[in-house]
Amino acid sequence: MELLFNNYLSEFIAVLSITVLTIITPGPDFFIVVRNSLTYTRRSGIFTTLGVSFAVWIHVIYTLAGIGLILSKSIVLFTIVKYLGAAYLMYLGWQCLKSRPLSSEQYIKQERKISDYSSFKMGFINNALNPKATLFFLSLFTQVVSVETPFVIQIIYGATVSLSCLIWFSLVAVFLNQKSVKNTFESIQHYFEKLMGVVLITFGIKVALASK
């Protein structure tokens, strides 16, 4: 295993670099984690992050199985996934827009409203239905990763992407739940929800209108 890894070290570094640059660029996953971390709790943000990280394996599996190429080449299948992802983002955005100002007591109660499963599901569905993620993994495994790279090494690359998402978004969730940040957020919670609603709907529209 060590010999295999050493032989593909430069490829691994390329995969890791591209992954890091991609995930730190704010996108739908980032805003879902931010929204749940601030509106609810650090725990909600972490479980949302877990959902995103687990969804990465969906993309890895179908890409390695060759289904990703079929999906990217099929206008019908790609469009279905694109519109499902866009609809989900706009649904979440609409939920944010419907929020109302909360008192301190209501804000504390709201923090307990979301379950671990709901947080996980939001992160999972958001990433799994993101057509940009489909194209990212297809590009990664066809343009960066050699066809001669052993399957076990490609699995390690997939694990690297998943772990990178887990680490980065967990750090985001932890940072946003510092007491000073939460206290500031409480006073602007209503406006933040509205802003998140606009951002998510904008991303939804962008996804719906995007071409390959």
Side-chain angles (χ1 to χ4, degrees):
M1 177 66 74
E2 183 178 351
L3 179 61
L4 281 174
F5 187 78
N6 287 335
N7 289 338
Y8 293 94
L9 181 59
S10 60
E11 194 175 78
F12 170 78
I13 293 175
V15 169
L16 179 61
S17 300
I18 293 170
T19 297
V20 170
L21 290 174
T22 300
I23 64 175
I24 64 175
T25 302
D29 291 334
F30 175 81
F31 286 107
I32 289 295
V33 172
V34 168
R35 188 253 178 176
N36 284 359
S37 298
L38 287 174
T39 301
Y40 300 107
T41 60
R42 175 184 302 170
R43 186 181 181 90
S44 176
I46 295 297
F47 271 89
T48 304
T49 295
L50 285 171
V52 171
S53 302
F54 271 83
V56 163
W57 283 103
I58 300 294
H59 301 295
V60 172
I61 291 170
Y62 70 59
T63 298
L64 294 182
I67 300 174
L69 183 60
I70 296 174
L71 182 62
S72 69
K73 296 299 182 182
S74 171
I75 296 177
V76 174
L77 290 177
F78 187 83
T79 301
I80 290 173
V81 173
K82 181 175 72 171
Y83 285 140
L84 284 174
Y88 186 68
L89 284 172
M90 287 188 278
Y91 164 75
L92 293 178
W94 175 245
Q95 294 298 109
C96 291
L97 289 178
K98 292 196 304 180
S99 67
R100 298 179 178 179
L102 302 175
S103 64
S104 296
E105 294 76 14
Q106 290 173 321
Y107 178 69
I108 293 174
K109 288 181 180 179
Q110 176 179 267
E111 288 186 328
R112 305 191 187 102
K113 275 186 177 181
I114 193 167
S115 66
D116 294 341
Y117 172 72
S118 294
S119 297
F120 179 91
K121 182 176 67 175
M122 289 175 69
F124 185 89
I125 294 176
N126 187 66
N127 183 273
L129 292 181
N130 186 353
K132 293 299 183 182
T134 300
L135 297 179
F136 166 77
F137 280 94
L138 184 62
S139 299
L140 189 68
F141 282 93
T142 57
Q143 297 181 27
V144 179
V145 179
S146 169
V147 293
E148 298 178 355
T149 301
F151 182 76
V152 65
I153 297 297
Q154 294 191 48
I155 289 295
I156 291 175
Y157 293 161
T160 299
V161 178
S162 179
L163 185 60
S164 297
C165 288
L166 180 63
I167 293 173
W168 169 247
F169 292 126
S170 292
L171 290 174
V172 170
V174 170
F175 170 77
L176 293 177
N177 272 270
Q178 296 183 76
K179 189 174 181 179
S180 58
V181 176
K182 290 289 281 187
N183 288 341
T184 301
F185 172 72
E186 186 177 342
S187 63
I188 61 170
Q189 185 266 341
H190 176 60
Y191 303 103
F192 175 81
E193 282 285 297
K194 299 294 186 184
L195 176 61
M196 282 294 100
V198 172
V199 169
L200 292 173
I201 289 175
T202 300
F203 267 111
I205 294 173
K206 184 178 179 181
V207 168
L209 297 178
S211 60
K212 292 182 183 181

